[in-house]
Amino acid sequence: AVCAGGVCTDIAALRSFSLAHVDLDACASAEHASMTGDDRGGLATTRDAVLYTGDVATARFDLADPRAADTLGAPLDGLVSDLATGELYTLAHAGAPHAGYLSDTISELIPLDPLTGAASGPVLALSIPIGPLPFDGTPAGVFAGLGRVAIQTQLSGAIRSLFVIDLLTGDVTETPAPNLDGATPCETWAVWGTLESIEGEDWLVTARPDRLVRTRVADGRTELLQDFDDLGDLCAFAEARVLQVT
């Protein structure tokens, strides 16, 4: 259960989740290049850590002290997590972790050990395959939410779909996708952001060079979430410890 103000709610019953504010005064940072190689993309959070993928490797950075880091091995291009539980996954197809532009289909999620990045636990088969994903360098999107993950096949362009995965059952819902043109691209197949649910509506949060914005899935309406002086080439972000579970 999740408890706030003396009231506890079962995680499965939660329906609303949104980002309110990024407190820059609370930031801690660490340089990843020595652990991962040049920036690439692929990012997820667990209860205790941030995992980031560079050109050479994926590394794990401790939330309490990001300078405490370990290299986990070959790059994991399909990282994503459940913001409700901190469970870590890689997108996959036919038993193989998703690898950039080398596969146009996602049919399962493989649970990963949050300490080692190794496969751990039974594969979550999806009710329908996700795709086709582009091979031509057009970016897709990966969005972590509470008990759900969303994959958008293309950020913009005429042919794009949004697939929302229930992480408990593997059920997938396909809907028309909003235009996310303008999101800062990563140096890989996708950008990483957040799947919000506000008053029953799904929203996708993406990074731009100087702001975070949310876009409503139903009609493409975009709202400013927060302005910044300069986010540089930030193209992937996620939240950690969204829920304090008892």
Side-chain angles (χ1 to χ4, degrees), residues 10 34 46 50 54 63 68 71 75-76 106 114-115 120 140 145 152 157 166-167 172-173 181 191 221-223 240:
D10 186 82
S34 63
T46 67
V50 177
L63 282 179
T71 299
L76 292 167
I106 296 165
L115 296 177
S120 174
Q152 183 155 320
D166 184 318
L167 294 176
V172 178
T173 303
D181 189 31
V191 304
R221 173 183 171 183
T222 295
E223 299 179 352

Side-chain angles (χ1 to χ4, degrees), residues 125-174:
L126 304 184
S127 61
I128 58 172
I130 293 172
L133 298 166
F135 285 126
D136 62 359
T138 303
V142 180
F143 302 92
L146 293 185
R148 302 186 301 158
V149 167
I151 310 296
Q152 183 155 320
T153 55
Q154 297 186 42
L155 298 187
S156 60
I159 302 174
R160 60 183 189 269
S161 295
L162 184 73
F163 296 84
V164 180
I165 305 167
D166 184 318
L167 294 176
L168 182 63
T169 65
D171 287 341
V172 178
T173 303
E174 181 181 2

Side-chain angles (χ1 to χ4, degrees), residues 227-246:
D227 272 322
F228 299 87
D229 290 336
D230 183 8
L231 290 177
D233 58 358
L234 175 74
C235 64
F237 64 92
E239 298 70 43
R241 298 176 182 170
V242 171
L243 303 179
Q244 296 300 315
V245 181
T246 59

